[in-house]
Amino acid sequence: MSTGSRKTWEAWARSVPPLTCASTREPCHDPAATATRLAQARLADEYMVYEAQGGVWHFAAGSAVSVTANATGITAQAAGRTWTSRTDRKPLTAFATALSALRDAGEGRHFYGWAAFELAHLLHADPAAAGDQPLLRALIPAIEVTLTRDGTVVRAVDEAWARKVADLLAEPPAQGTAPDEPTPERTEGAIAAGTAAYGRAVGRTVGDIRAGLLEKAVVSRKVPLPAEPRPDFPATYLAGRRANTPARSYLLDLGGYCAAGFSPETVLEIGEDGRVSTQPLAGTRALGSDPAENERRRAELLSDPKEIHEHAVSVRLAWDEMAAVCRPGSVVVEEFMAVRPRGSVQHLASRVTGRLRPDAGPWDAFASLFPAITATGVSKRAALQALARHEEGPRGLYGGAVFRGNTDGALDAALVLRTLIGAGNEAWLRAGAGVTAQSSPEREIEETCEKLRSVAPYLRFAED
């Protein structure tokens, strides 16, 4: 970034109010429900719930301090003022510079946000394909609540915000009418929509692979939901979280997107000590209520050549992307081809870890690993080009990331899959499958249906 831009972010950072009010309360017995209730209270125009590792839920609200970047420009807001700068088609660099200014100003803070899938085109493929929509959004909250088994910690910019949350936490849960839910027939009808067109896209992608253009692509399909009745995002989140076993979960209304999701894997996890980890999941079978059938499918998954190949090439590329930003000799595969339950499916799962180089920061690692291999393909550049040819329209939040981090170097980013997404008056589901030379359209269609069942049966709808 230029000196002028750096001064812009220093001025912005000095305008960010600190979280001066902090208190610790007793633990809550149901952190998912409590976090959802805080979201439903609409304390501010924008909020995020983020379930981190180890059963810890975070709630953040208040968008008076925010950063938004697209391909050409970045805007920051604080204290009623707005700062702007060019990004020169490097929005992630500008975004990281803005957030690092908070650290340099001596104001250690958490931030919450998302990265749209189209950021990938600027990082790895065709910059013109990134479009002009926001690619990155973060809020630095006015109120932050952390819910753990040991206690509830509330941090706020002033006493007024702290009192609002304290009053909500003291209230008993509301006993209202349960939101509407879809019938099984309606759920299955939505899941089956658009499968013929998707099958043709899979067939074209297999042709590209057999022609040597790429090794794997994760081709997805969008399932639009009716405009009425409107989805109830908080109620959908709570119902879906009860039934899923995600690596991370999130509920948000931020930067023009609403989302309720149950992410099967992380794009990356970075600690303040520089340890970085990524968790590629690739290879899928259904997971139902019959233990014997689940075990049969598990054994099938572990012996299926197509699924094993799909997983192995993903782990290989994850290793290469980690090695690009980690200390030589530090990258290891700590887990290989375990089977993890994720809602309505089970996946082959591996974990690759390493230590960041002294000259690399968390956003350098994010740039190398984003978007997840398991949402794009191999090679990543060729896969992005194939997806641009064979998928209809931009993905937006799907296949991108929802994240929580701090200005001391920690960053935890969940892959946006198994998610109800809304923008404007539209809401939709989306699911994809890894396509290789051995793929058949029928099996990949079936896999997307299996994944959609992690969310569709738990959709809840608002009453007018």
Side-chain angles (χ1 to χ4, degrees):
M1 295 291 290
S2 68
T3 303
S5 295
R6 185 69 200 184
K7 290 180 178 178
T8 295
W9 307 130
E10 289 170 354
W12 169 72
R14 288 193 296 270
S15 300
V16 175
L19 296 180
T20 55
C21 300
S23 63
T24 302
R25 302 170 60 88
E26 66 278 2
C28 64
H29 74 281
D30 191 342
T34 301
T36 302
R37 187 152 54 93
L38 291 171
Q40 289 170 322
R42 300 301 307 191
L43 292 168
D45 290 340
E46 296 188 321
Y47 68 82
M48 183 187 291
V49 172
Y50 192 83
E51 179 190 0
Q53 191 173 16
V56 177
W57 266 262
H58 301 279
F59 169 77
S63 59
V65 181
S66 63
V67 187
T68 307
N70 62 18
T72 58
I74 182 168
T75 300
Q77 295 179 321
R81 297 178 59 194
T82 300
W83 291 263
T84 62
S85 181
R86 297 191 312 274
T87 62
D88 299 324
R89 296 200 172 272
K90 295 181 179 179
L92 192 56
T93 301
F95 193 74
T97 301
L99 292 173
S100 70
L102 286 174
R103 179 199 63 220
D104 297 342
E107 179 55 35
R109 291 291 291 273
H110 289 113
F111 52 83
Y112 296 76
W114 51 256
F117 181 81
E118 281 64 42
L119 174 64
H121 293 293
L122 290 171
L123 296 173
H124 307 291
D126 177 12
D132 58 1
Q133 295 300 306
L135 301 174
L136 291 153
R137 171 77 173 194
L139 71 81
I140 294 84
I143 184 78
E144 184 177 27
V145 183
T146 299
L147 304 158
T148 73
R149 297 183 184 92
D150 299 323
T152 301
V153 178
V154 179
R155 301 180 183 87
V157 295
D158 57 37
E159 289 289 350
W161 274 103
R163 278 197 303 273
K164 290 178 185 178
V165 169
D167 290 345
L168 284 169
L169 292 173
E171 291 178 1
Q175 301 296 322
T177 303
D180 224 4
E181 59 185 271
T183 63
E185 294 79 10
R186 184 177 172 187
T187 293
E188 288 301 309
I191 286 172
T195 53
Y198 179 73
R200 291 191 291 273
V202 169
R204 292 193 297 270
T205 305
V206 170
D208 287 349
I209 294 169
R210 291 176 177 172
L213 300 181
L214 69 161
E215 200 167 346
K216 170 189 170 182
V218 181
V219 183
S220 68
R221 63 184 180 95
K222 185 176 180 179
V223 180
L225 299 176
E228 295 292 340
R230 303 183 312 278
D232 184 324
F233 281 81
T236 297
Y237 171 75
L238 190 57
R241 181 59 187 86
R242 300 289 197 224
N244 273 274
T245 49
R248 300 289 187 272
S249 71
Y250 42 81
L251 169 66
L252 62 87
D253 186 342
L254 176 63
Y257 281 113
C258 294
F262 320 103
S263 175
E265 64 185 275
T266 53
V267 179
L268 80 169
E269 305 159 42
I270 303 176
E272 293 178 10
D273 61 355
R275 183 181 187 273
V276 58
S277 169
T278 189
Q279 184 190 33
L281 271 67
T284 306
R285 284 294 184 274
L287 184 67
S289 57
D290 183 340
E293 180 62 12
N294 289 337
E295 184 56 34
R296 185 194 68 77
R297 290 168 176 162
R298 180 181 185 276
E300 182 182 87
L301 177 60
L302 285 165
S303 61
D304 187 309
K306 182 265 180 186
E307 305 287 4
I308 292 170
H309 173 258
E310 178 188 346
H311 186 81
V313 297
S314 298
V315 175
R316 185 194 69 206
L317 185 54
W319 175 290
D320 292 341
E321 292 178 344
M322 290 277 285
V325 292
C326 288
R327 297 172 186 265
S330 71
V331 179
V332 296
V333 178
E334 289 191 352
E335 179 181 62
F336 183 66
M337 272 184 41
V339 178
R340 291 279 178 265
R342 291 291 186 258
S344 59
V345 293
Q346 48 191 326
H347 289 297
L348 294 177
S350 295
R351 182 171 292 279
V352 185
T353 66
R355 293 277 175 179
L356 286 178
R357 297 195 317 264
D359 62 337
W363 294 106
D364 297 304
F366 188 88
S368 185
L369 289 159
F370 182 87
I373 299 156
T374 48
T376 49
V378 183
S379 71
K380 192 170 279 187
R381 177 184 175 85
L384 287 166
Q385 292 169 338
L387 296 178
R389 290 193 299 271
H390 302 313
E391 291 187 344
E392 293 185 10
R395 286 184 173 186
L397 198 57
Y398 176 83
V402 170
F403 55 78
R404 178 181 186 265
N406 68 33
T407 53
D408 292 323
L411 182 62
D412 193 278
L415 173 58
V416 179
L417 302 177
R418 321 294 149 78
T419 298
L420 167 65
I421 303 174
N425 295 321
E426 296 183 278
W428 62 92
L429 304 175
R430 193 160 188 150
V435 178
T436 68
Q438 297 81 33
S439 289
S440 71
E442 295 76 17
R443 171 55 200 154
E444 306 310 348
I445 289 170
E446 180 184 12
E447 183 172 320
T448 63
C449 292
E450 292 167 354
K451 292 172 177 176
L452 287 165
R453 292 188 187 104
S454 289
V455 184
Y458 313 105
L459 291 173
R460 299 296 182 263
F461 297 92
E463 295 181 347
D464 289 333

